Amino acid sequence: MTLEFQVPLAAPVGTAHPQSPSSETELSKSGRFAIWASIISVLFLSQIAYNINAFPASTDLICYAAVTAFLLASGFASIGFPSLALFIVALVLACFGTLTATSSTSWTSLLLLFVLYAPFAIRLKEEPEAVHQYILSAYVSAATIIAAIAVVQIVLVNATKSSLLTNIYFNLPEAIRGAGNYTFVREGGGIIKANGFFLRESADLSIIVALALVIEFGSRARLRIMGILAAGLICSLSGSGLLAITAGLLLPRSLVRIPLFFVYLVGLILALYLLYSLDIPGLDLWFDRLSEFQTPNTSAYARFVAPMEMIGHSFDVGPLTTWFGNGAGSYLRDVKLYRMNYEVNDPTWAKLIYEYGLLGFGLIFAILLQRLYSSRLRVEICNYLLFSWISVGVVLKPSFALTVWLLTLVGKPAHRRNQRARPR
């Protein structure tokens, strides 16, 4: 059930005859501007922000809100009540958990969660295929530019060691630098990693260009574009994108494909073992990172191992925190309380469970699943985004939420859903 609003993002071609819901559409100028503004704000302007105390009102967050308001105010959009209902229940439980928490909490964190995920209930009406293809094409084009910049950057930065070339952050006036603690410069094997200059970290570059690579591979498959994207992925020297690509391609697309998934997984493990045993020069940069899962103060340890101890502390407190959490914004605040002597990242799975409990995590996870797998995106892309959302600390990142929202703005064709609903 949906509540419909009229929005001129995609205008019907011709006005002499009425258009059917499945008719072809072409984008208006305002629609193209909204799409490109969203993508540019994520890939090129995300570090520009107006800081309200320690909270950065970043360009991508402002653009996210503006485009959402534009859709609701002026064209073919709809609000899906199932997603909205799930989110309202999750919000009520999150408020209860925050009010009853004994930890130090942040209502700003809860407000940001609401702002980022409430628009997931909004989608374009009539599922225009032309709009969906335009969004994917625009994203791939912008990501290709970022990848090309990364290739040039890794050469210049390692040759000059200039901080001005490592990140746009160091070139921005202090008044509009996004607040927060980030590692803008990372090294691997003595090489300064590329981050595309406009992105905060090399992992961001890896996730962005790898997503574009998956999109391009399953659509137009242009070798030149894929080559540039692959080069940018390599220059990031980050395994985030590679892991997400692997998950996107290997995770089963349906229940009947689960046995095939295990076959592929075994084949991948054997192939990686073979490559590791061959001692091929250059691959050590990637295989040596496997030791990070056992090494404190490393990226893999902070993302996948250390958070488990935080979850254990939460479950030990009692059933109330297990089911309802320790309150919004408590995860990183409680790291100091437990006197952790190693770096602890806040990946989505751990942050949501710790702050909002198993109930909150389950509801927000359901919202994301509904958004992804009811869209026109290929299942491989949905799997990619799902894995990235779970494994990386992006639950409160406006750039990631805006990317998911934009790529899934067009739902599956109504006639497909109707065909599945008919009895046979």
Side-chain angles (χ1 to χ4, degrees), residues 368-379:
L368 181 72
L369 288 179
Q370 194 279 333
R371 179 72 183 189
L372 287 174
Y373 294 98
S374 64
S375 73
R376 274 186 180 265
L377 285 178
R378 298 194 331 275
V379 176

Side-chain angles (χ1 to χ4, degrees), residues 138-155:
Y139 180 85
V140 170
S141 298
T144 302
I145 295 173
I146 281 286
I149 292 173
V151 173
V152 176
Q153 181 195 33
I154 196 171
V155 175

